[in-house]
Amino acid sequence: DGSVKIDAEVPVPVPAGACIFHHLLCLHRSKANTSPNPRRAYALHYANRDATSCVRPWGEMLVLRA
């Protein structure tokens, strides 16, 4: 039915300055930032050149390796 069991969450504490990776279908979240410092994030999305994109045409995307 597409519903998500919130009680099935698994906490994964991540130390400050650490990096984590998620599969694109992995539902994930973080709680509110209670520190006085901003929380920074950097997102990269990799896909096979043969994959279709619903975001924008491949010709408009940044090519990291030709």
Side-chain angles (χ1 to χ4, degrees), residues 18-66:
C19 178
I20 56 175
F21 296 88
H22 303 279
H23 184 277
L24 70 107
L25 297 178
C26 176
L27 181 63
H28 60 280
R29 69 181 182 112
S30 60
K31 293 188 176 181
N33 180 9
T34 58
S35 80
N37 303 316
R39 180 182 290 158
R40 296 180 181 156
Y42 189 72
L44 292 173
H45 300 263
Y46 291 95
N48 185 302
R49 184 75 173 165
D50 296 330
T52 57
S53 170
C54 62
V55 179
R56 62 177 73 143
W58 283 112
E60 296 177 12
M61 301 225 186
L62 175 67
V63 177
L64 298 177
R65 190 182 326 160

